Amino acid sequence: MSAQLLEALAAALNDGSVETVDLTHTLDPDFPVIVLPPEFGQCARFRMEEVSAYDHRGPSWKWHNITISEHTGTHFDAPAHWITGRDQPQGHVDEIAPGRFLGRACVIDCSEGAARDDDHELTPEAIAAWEAAHGTIPPDSWVLMRTDWSKRSGAAYLNMREDGAHSPGPTPEAIRLLVEERGIRGFGTETVGTDAGQGMHYTPPFPAHHTLHGAGRYGLQCLRNLDRLPPTGAVLMAAPLKIRHGTGSPLRVLALVPRSTDNGEATA
Ligand code: MN
């Protein structure tokens, strides 16, 4: 049975009836990283330095050294990233079982709200409305919060004001519902973090980090192309680099989806 299933998947990838959507931003020195208050350590932007380029430093080859934070660009948050997850088993990226990197995704479209309000919240009511249309979120799903925020760039992406960043995210009640009642595997966003820009003002502060990682679940952020995914039916592949005792990692996030002309039927 499973051999036939893999054969069918391989055929569908070859003939294009299953498409691969790239949910990853290009790593670039200009891509914004989260900015913390100045008393804290800061996340490094991506940097790339040429080692040789078919020249005297290496006549037949070209390569680069790169510098990066675990939390730069499109990246994965492991449980050990947050103090609530510090004692979770398999809490670092090198310890997570590889099967956890492949799984179904549910996409909640919050783009209308986020267009009206930079601080738009994903609430339990919004989850209930999504479930009324698409069914209960299955256990062990990735839940992705679509906001179209990835279409912003530069200063508008971090959207810093005098009182800090303003960007959408989940309320404490919404993330508790997803983790404790739906048993999700992880939560992904298009913004620079899994929490809202003003997430420090919730109780607990940064509820997505607090609750997800305290329960051994994962985060994905700086995703893009969520508008190309159906609400249900996509399979996500998100495998972080195997960094010893790493708390997160840049990665290439891919989604397998039914060919877009099929999406209407596939999600009806
Ligand atoms: Mn992170």
Side-chain angles (χ1 to χ4, degrees):
M1 173 60 195
S2 52
Q4 288 160 8
L5 192 125
L6 284 177
E7 177 55 37
L9 174 61
L13 289 165
N14 278 353
D15 70 19
S17 54
V18 169
E19 290 182 328
T20 305
V21 178
D22 193 348
L23 306 187
T24 320
H25 281 284
T26 302
L27 279 171
D28 176 288
D30 293 329
F31 191 80
V33 298
I34 196 164
V35 176
L36 299 181
E39 64 269 30
F40 296 123
Q42 303 292 333
C43 176
R45 288 187 178 221
F46 176 75
R47 284 194 298 125
M48 189 165 80
E49 145 196 38
E50 196 174 82
V51 180
S52 72
Y54 331 115
D55 54 23
H56 68 281
R57 299 169 298 174
S60 299
W61 52 92
K62 178 176 175 178
W63 50 2
H64 302 103
N65 287 327
I66 59 172
T67 309
I68 200 166
S69 161
E70 293 171 332
H71 297 263
T72 296
T74 301
H75 72 275
F76 185 100
D77 282 358
H81 178 44
W82 213 250
I83 191 165
T84 51
R86 66 193 291 178
D87 297 322
Q88 279 289 325
Q90 293 89 50
H92 300 90
V93 284
D94 58 319
E95 301 163 337
I96 299 169
R100 306 288 284 159
F101 303 142
L102 297 161
R104 71 168 90 225
C106 297
V107 182
I108 302 180
D109 184 0
C110 302
S111 60
E112 277 187 31
R116 285 195 306 272
D117 177 8
D118 291 349
D119 298 306
H120 179 71
E121 294 175 315
L122 174 65
T123 61
E125 294 70 32
I127 295 168
W130 186 93
E131 289 187 327
H134 305 291
T136 304
I137 294 168
D140 210 22
S141 298
W142 281 101
V143 170
L144 307 180
M145 180 179 175
R146 174 185 161 195
T147 55
D148 291 347
W149 205 261
S150 57
K151 295 176 181 175
R152 294 176 172 227
S153 60
Y157 186 73
L158 291 183
N159 202 26
M160 294 293 285
R161 299 183 202 154
E162 253 175 41
D163 60 349
H166 287 263
S167 55
T171 65
E173 297 74 22
I175 202 75
R176 272 207 308 274
L177 165 65
L178 293 173
V179 170
E180 294 169 10
E181 294 180 41
R182 296 297 179 268
I184 65 166
R185 181 184 300 182
F187 181 73
T189 64
E190 295 182 45
T191 56
V192 79
T194 49
D195 274 297
Q198 292 287 297
M200 77 289 264
H201 297 303
Y202 288 121
T203 307
F206 305 107
H209 287 82
H210 179 98
T211 301
L212 286 166
H213 304 322
R217 313 302 162 78
Y218 316 124
L220 288 171
Q221 48 260 286
C222 306
L223 297 170
R224 65 195 295 263
N225 286 334
L226 297 188
D227 56 348
R228 294 181 53 196
L229 302 188
T232 64
V235 173
L236 201 72
M237 301 193 288
L241 298 178
K242 203 168 184 177
I243 302 168
R244 186 173 306 283
H245 296 152
T247 71
S249 164
L251 75 175
R252 193 81 177 246
V253 184
L254 305 175
L256 301 183
V257 301
R259 182 165 44 211
S260 45
T261 51
D262 298 341
N263 279 353
E265 297 87 79
T267 60

PDB file of all heavy atoms in Angstrom, residues 15-38:
ATOM      1  N   ASP A  15       4.267  14.555 -13.347  1.00  0.00           N
ATOM      2  CA  ASP A  15       3.318  15.060 -14.356  1.00  0.00           C
ATOM      3  C   ASP A  15       2.707  16.407 -13.946  1.00  0.00           C
ATOM      4  O   ASP A  15       1.893  16.978 -14.677  1.00  0.00           O
ATOM      5  CB  ASP A  15       2.237  14.018 -14.675  1.00  0.00           C
ATOM      6  CG  ASP A  15       1.239  13.786 -13.548  1.00  0.00           C
ATOM      7  OD1 ASP A  15       1.122  14.645 -12.655  1.00  0.00           O
ATOM      8  OD2 ASP A  15       0.568  12.730 -13.570  1.00  0.00           O
ATOM      9  N   GLY A  16       3.100  16.921 -12.777  1.00  0.00           N
ATOM     10  CA  GLY A  16       2.667  18.255 -12.383  1.00  0.00           C
ATOM     11  C   GLY A  16       1.300  18.305 -11.727  1.00  0.00           C
ATOM     12  O   GLY A  16       0.824  19.394 -11.387  1.00  0.00           O
ATOM     13  N   SER A  17       0.642  17.164 -11.528  1.00  0.00           N
ATOM     14  CA  SER A  17      -0.662  17.223 -10.868  1.00  0.00           C
ATOM     15  C   SER A  17      -0.507  17.502  -9.371  1.00  0.00           C
ATOM     16  O   SER A  17      -1.440  17.949  -8.721  1.00  0.00           O
ATOM     17  CB  SER A  17      -1.494  15.965 -11.122  1.00  0.00           C
ATOM     18  OG  SER A  17      -0.788  14.807 -10.763  1.00  0.00           O
ATOM     19  N   VAL A  18       0.691  17.237  -8.823  1.00  0.00           N
ATOM     20  CA  VAL A  18       1.056  17.778  -7.508  1.00  0.00           C
ATOM     21  C   VAL A  18       2.171  18.791  -7.746  1.00  0.00           C
ATOM     22  O   VAL A  18       3.183  18.475  -8.370  1.00  0.00           O
ATOM     23  CB  VAL A  18       1.526  16.675  -6.538  1.00  0.00           C
ATOM     24  CG1 VAL A  18       2.154  17.278  -5.287  1.00  0.00           C
ATOM     25  CG2 VAL A  18       0.343  15.784  -6.155  1.00  0.00           C
ATOM     26  N   GLU A  19       1.941  20.020  -7.282  1.00  0.00           N
ATOM     27  CA  GLU A  19       2.917  21.097  -7.479  1.00  0.00           C
ATOM     28  C   GLU A  19       3.694  21.349  -6.201  1.00  0.00           C
ATOM     29  O   GLU A  19       3.178  21.134  -5.104  1.00  0.00           O
ATOM     30  CB  GLU A  19       2.200  22.396  -7.877  1.00  0.00           C
ATOM     31  CG  GLU A  19       1.607  22.351  -9.260  1.00  0.00           C
ATOM     32  CD  GLU A  19       0.943  23.660  -9.641  1.00  0.00           C
ATOM     33  OE1 GLU A  19       0.405  24.362  -8.760  1.00  0.00           O
ATOM     34  OE2 GLU A  19       0.948  23.978 -10.835  1.00  0.00           O
ATOM     35  N   THR A  20       4.919  21.849  -6.364  1.00  0.00           N
ATOM     36  CA  THR A  20       5.748  22.223  -5.224  1.00  0.00           C
ATOM     37  C   THR A  20       5.774  23.748  -5.128  1.00  0.00           C
ATOM     38  O   THR A  20       6.189  24.419  -6.075  1.00  0.00           O
ATOM     39  CB  THR A  20       7.177  21.692  -5.398  1.00  0.00           C
ATOM     40  OG1 THR A  20       7.116  20.280  -5.621  1.00  0.00           O
ATOM     41  CG2 THR A  20       8.014  21.959  -4.158  1.00  0.00           C
ATOM     42  N   VAL A  21       5.306  24.278  -4.009  1.00  0.00           N
ATOM     43  CA  VAL A  21       5.298  25.725  -3.790  1.00  0.00           C
ATOM     44  C   VAL A  21       6.407  26.053  -2.795  1.00  0.00           C
ATOM     45  O   VAL A  21       6.516  25.424  -1.739  1.00  0.00           O
ATOM     46  CB  VAL A  21       3.933  26.202  -3.236  1.00  0.00           C
ATOM     47  CG1 VAL A  21       3.952  27.698  -2.964  1.00  0.00           C
ATOM     48  CG2 VAL A  21       2.822  25.847  -4.217  1.00  0.00           C
ATOM     49  N   ASP A  22       7.226  27.037  -3.138  1.00  0.00           N
ATOM     50  CA  ASP A  22       8.330  27.460  -2.282  1.00  0.00           C
ATOM     51  C   ASP A  22       7.825  28.527  -1.309  1.00  0.00           C
ATOM     52  O   ASP A  22       7.389  29.602  -1.738  1.00  0.00           O
ATOM     53  CB  ASP A  22       9.460  28.015  -3.160  1.00  0.00           C
ATOM     54  CG  ASP A  22      10.764  28.194  -2.402  1.00  0.00           C
ATOM     55  OD1 ASP A  22      10.761  28.109  -1.152  1.00  0.00           O
ATOM     56  OD2 ASP A  22      11.797  28.422  -3.070  1.00  0.00           O
ATOM     57  N   LEU A  23       7.888  28.236  -0.012  1.00  0.00           N
ATOM     58  CA  LEU A  23       7.389  29.179   0.998  1.00  0.00           C
ATOM     59  C   LEU A  23       8.539  29.982   1.616  1.00  0.00           C
ATOM     60  O   LEU A  23       8.407  30.515   2.710  1.00  0.00           O
ATOM     61  CB  LEU A  23       6.635  28.415   2.098  1.00  0.00           C
ATOM     62  CG  LEU A  23       5.507  27.484   1.645  1.00  0.00           C
ATOM     63  CD1 LEU A  23       4.746  26.947   2.868  1.00  0.00           C
ATOM     64  CD2 LEU A  23       4.534  28.184   0.702  1.00  0.00           C
ATOM     65  N   THR A  24       9.664  30.067   0.898  1.00  0.00           N
ATOM     66  CA  THR A  24      10.912  30.585   1.462  1.00  0.00           C
ATOM     67  C   THR A  24      11.298  31.921   0.845  1.00  0.00           C
ATOM     68  O   THR A  24      11.255  32.067  -0.386  1.00  0.00           O
ATOM     69  CB  THR A  24      12.054  29.580   1.176  1.00  0.00           C
ATOM     70  OG1 THR A  24      11.578  28.257   1.355  1.00  0.00           O
ATOM     71  CG2 THR A  24      13.245  29.843   2.051  1.00  0.00           C
ATOM     72  N   HIS A  25      11.741  32.874   1.670  1.00  0.00           N
ATOM     73  CA  HIS A  25      12.355  34.102   1.163  1.00  0.00           C
ATOM     74  C   HIS A  25      13.809  33.823   0.773  1.00  0.00           C
ATOM     75  O   HIS A  25      14.466  32.957   1.354  1.00  0.00           O
ATOM     76  CB  HIS A  25      12.352  35.191   2.232  1.00  0.00           C
ATOM     77  CG  HIS A  25      11.036  35.885   2.387  1.00  0.00           C
ATOM     78  ND1 HIS A  25      10.575  36.825   1.494  1.00  0.00           N
ATOM     79  CD2 HIS A  25      10.080  35.750   3.324  1.00  0.00           C
ATOM     80  CE1 HIS A  25       9.395  37.263   1.891  1.00  0.00           C
ATOM     81  NE2 HIS A  25       9.059  36.627   2.990  1.00  0.00           N
ATOM     82  N   THR A  26      14.315  34.607  -0.174  1.00  0.00           N
ATOM     83  CA  THR A  26      15.730  34.530  -0.553  1.00  0.00           C
ATOM     84  C   THR A  26      16.584  35.106   0.577  1.00  0.00           C
ATOM     85  O   THR A  26      16.264  36.177   1.105  1.00  0.00           O
ATOM     86  CB  THR A  26      15.956  35.332  -1.842  1.00  0.00           C
ATOM     87  OG1 THR A  26      15.104  34.795  -2.858  1.00  0.00           O
ATOM     88  CG2 THR A  26      17.401  35.263  -2.293  1.00  0.00           C
ATOM     89  N   LEU A  27      17.640  34.395   0.962  1.00  0.00           N
ATOM     90  CA  LEU A  27      18.579  34.916   1.953  1.00  0.00           C
ATOM     91  C   LEU A  27      19.394  36.024   1.304  1.00  0.00           C
ATOM     92  O   LEU A  27      20.028  35.814   0.268  1.00  0.00           O
ATOM     93  CB  LEU A  27      19.505  33.810   2.451  1.00  0.00           C
ATOM     94  CG  LEU A  27      18.926  32.899   3.531  1.00  0.00           C
ATOM     95  CD1 LEU A  27      19.862  31.722   3.773  1.00  0.00           C
ATOM     96  CD2 LEU A  27      18.675  33.660   4.823  1.00  0.00           C
ATOM     97  N   ASP A  28      19.349  37.183   1.923  1.00  0.00           N
ATOM     98  CA  ASP A  28      19.910  38.390   1.327  1.00  0.00           C
ATOM     99  C   ASP A  28      20.285  39.304   2.493  1.00  0.00           C
ATOM    100  O   ASP A  28      19.547  39.357   3.480  1.00  0.00           O
ATOM    101  CB  ASP A  28      18.794  39.015   0.462  1.00  0.00           C
ATOM    102  CG  ASP A  28      19.196  40.326  -0.143  1.00  0.00           C
ATOM    103  OD1 ASP A  28      19.294  41.312   0.610  1.00  0.00           O
ATOM    104  OD2 ASP A  28      19.402  40.369  -1.361  1.00  0.00           O
ATOM    105  N   PRO A  29      21.422  40.027   2.404  1.00  0.00           N
ATOM    106  CA  PRO A  29      21.807  40.891   3.532  1.00  0.00           C
ATOM    107  C   PRO A  29      20.746  41.930   3.884  1.00  0.00           C
ATOM    108  O   PRO A  29      20.699  42.414   5.019  1.00  0.00           O
ATOM    109  CB  PRO A  29      23.087  41.574   3.038  1.00  0.00           C
ATOM    110  CG  PRO A  29      23.621  40.658   1.988  1.00  0.00           C
ATOM    111  CD  PRO A  29      22.430  40.016   1.342  1.00  0.00           C
ATOM    112  N   ASP A  30      19.888  42.279   2.931  1.00  0.00           N
ATOM    113  CA  ASP A  30      18.874  43.305   3.187  1.00  0.00           C
ATOM    114  C   ASP A  30      17.609  42.758   3.839  1.00  0.00           C
ATOM    115  O   ASP A  30      16.750  43.530   4.255  1.00  0.00           O
ATOM    116  CB  ASP A  30      18.489  44.007   1.874  1.00  0.00           C
ATOM    117  CG  ASP A  30      19.637  44.811   1.310  1.00  0.00           C
ATOM    118  OD1 ASP A  30      20.455  45.307   2.112  1.00  0.00           O
ATOM    119  OD2 ASP A  30      19.726  44.923   0.068  1.00  0.00           O
ATOM    120  N   PHE A  31      17.486  41.430   3.914  1.00  0.00           N
ATOM    121  CA  PHE A  31      16.237  40.899   4.474  1.00  0.00           C
ATOM    122  C   PHE A  31      16.195  41.205   5.978  1.00  0.00           C
ATOM    123  O   PHE A  31      17.135  40.910   6.705  1.00  0.00           O
ATOM    124  CB  PHE A  31      16.107  39.391   4.222  1.00  0.00           C
ATOM    125  CG  PHE A  31      14.733  38.882   4.542  1.00  0.00           C
ATOM    126  CD1 PHE A  31      13.689  39.056   3.643  1.00  0.00           C
ATOM    127  CD2 PHE A  31      14.459  38.284   5.765  1.00  0.00           C
ATOM    128  CE1 PHE A  31      12.403  38.618   3.943  1.00  0.00           C
ATOM    129  CE2 PHE A  31      13.181  37.850   6.074  1.00  0.00           C
ATOM    130  CZ  PHE A  31      12.148  38.020   5.161  1.00  0.00           C
ATOM    131  N   PRO A  32      15.098  41.815   6.448  1.00  0.00           N
ATOM    132  CA  PRO A  32      15.061  42.263   7.853  1.00  0.00           C
ATOM    133  C   PRO A  32      15.095  41.100   8.839  1.00  0.00           C
ATOM    134  O   PRO A  32      14.555  40.031   8.577  1.00  0.00           O
ATOM    135  CB  PRO A  32      13.706  42.984   7.951  1.00  0.00           C
ATOM    136  CG  PRO A  32      13.231  43.197   6.557  1.00  0.00           C
ATOM    137  CD  PRO A  32      13.862  42.139   5.722  1.00  0.00           C
ATOM    138  N   VAL A  33      15.740  41.335   9.977  1.00  0.00           N
ATOM    139  CA  VAL A  33      15.684  40.397  11.101  1.00  0.00           C
ATOM    140  C   VAL A  33      15.020  41.120  12.271  1.00  0.00           C
ATOM    141  O   VAL A  33      14.923  42.354  12.296  1.00  0.00           O
ATOM    142  CB  VAL A  33      17.080  39.881  11.525  1.00  0.00           C
ATOM    143  CG1 VAL A  33      17.728  39.120  10.386  1.00  0.00           C
ATOM    144  CG2 VAL A  33      17.970  41.024  11.997  1.00  0.00           C
ATOM    145  N   ILE A  34      14.569  40.338  13.237  1.00  0.00           N
ATOM    146  CA  ILE A  34      13.886  40.918  14.388  1.00  0.00           C
ATOM    147  C   ILE A  34      14.837  41.873  15.112  1.00  0.00           C
ATOM    148  O   ILE A  34      16.045  41.631  15.182  1.00  0.00           O
ATOM    149  CB  ILE A  34      13.376  39.789  15.312  1.00  0.00           C
ATOM    150  CG1 ILE A  34      12.340  40.326  16.297  1.00  0.00           C
ATOM    151  CG2 ILE A  34      14.529  39.080  16.019  1.00  0.00           C
ATOM    152  CD1 ILE A  34      11.519  39.221  16.965  1.00  0.00           C
ATOM    153  N   VAL A  35      14.293  42.988  15.611  1.00  0.00           N
ATOM    154  CA  VAL A  35      15.087  43.967  16.354  1.00  0.00           C
ATOM    155  C   VAL A  35      14.554  44.001  17.786  1.00  0.00           C
ATOM    156  O   VAL A  35      13.377  44.273  18.015  1.00  0.00           O
ATOM    157  CB  VAL A  35      14.985  45.367  15.713  1.00  0.00           C
ATOM    158  CG1 VAL A  35      15.731  46.394  16.560  1.00  0.00           C
ATOM    159  CG2 VAL A  35      15.537  45.346  14.291  1.00  0.00           C
ATOM    160  N   LEU A  36      15.419  43.705  18.764  1.00  0.00           N
ATOM    161  CA  LEU A  36      15.021  43.699  20.169  1.00  0.00           C
ATOM    162  C   LEU A  36      15.425  45.029  20.804  1.00  0.00           C
ATOM    163  O   LEU A  36      16.253  45.762  20.257  1.00  0.00           O
ATOM    164  CB  LEU A  36      15.695  42.531  20.891  1.00  0.00           C
ATOM    165  CG  LEU A  36      15.342  41.135  20.357  1.00  0.00           C
ATOM    166  CD1 LEU A  36      16.053  40.061  21.183  1.00  0.00           C
ATOM    167  CD2 LEU A  36      13.837  40.899  20.379  1.00  0.00           C
ATOM    168  N   PRO A  37      14.856  45.342  21.966  1.00  0.00           N
ATOM    169  CA  PRO A  37      15.327  46.542  22.681  1.00  0.00           C
ATOM    170  C   PRO A  37      16.841  46.480  22.872  1.00  0.00           C
ATOM    171  O   PRO A  37      17.413  45.388  22.989  1.00  0.00           O
ATOM    172  CB  PRO A  37      14.575  46.448  24.019  1.00  0.00           C
ATOM    173  CG  PRO A  37      13.339  45.653  23.711  1.00  0.00           C
ATOM    174  CD  PRO A  37      13.753  44.664  22.658  1.00  0.00           C
ATOM    175  N   PRO A  38      17.506  47.651  22.889  1.00  0.00           N
ATOM    176  CA  PRO A  38      18.977  47.697  22.778  1.00  0.00           C
ATOM    177  C   PRO A  38      19.727  47.006  23.903  1.00  0.00           C
ATOM    178  O   PRO A  38      20.896  46.658  23.730  1.00  0.00           O
ATOM    179  CB  PRO A  38      19.284  49.202  22.742  1.00  0.00           C
ATOM    180  CG  PRO A  38      18.044  49.885  23.203  1.00  0.00           C
ATOM    181  CD  PRO A  38      16.907  48.989  22.914  1.00  0.00           C
TER     182      PRO A  38
END
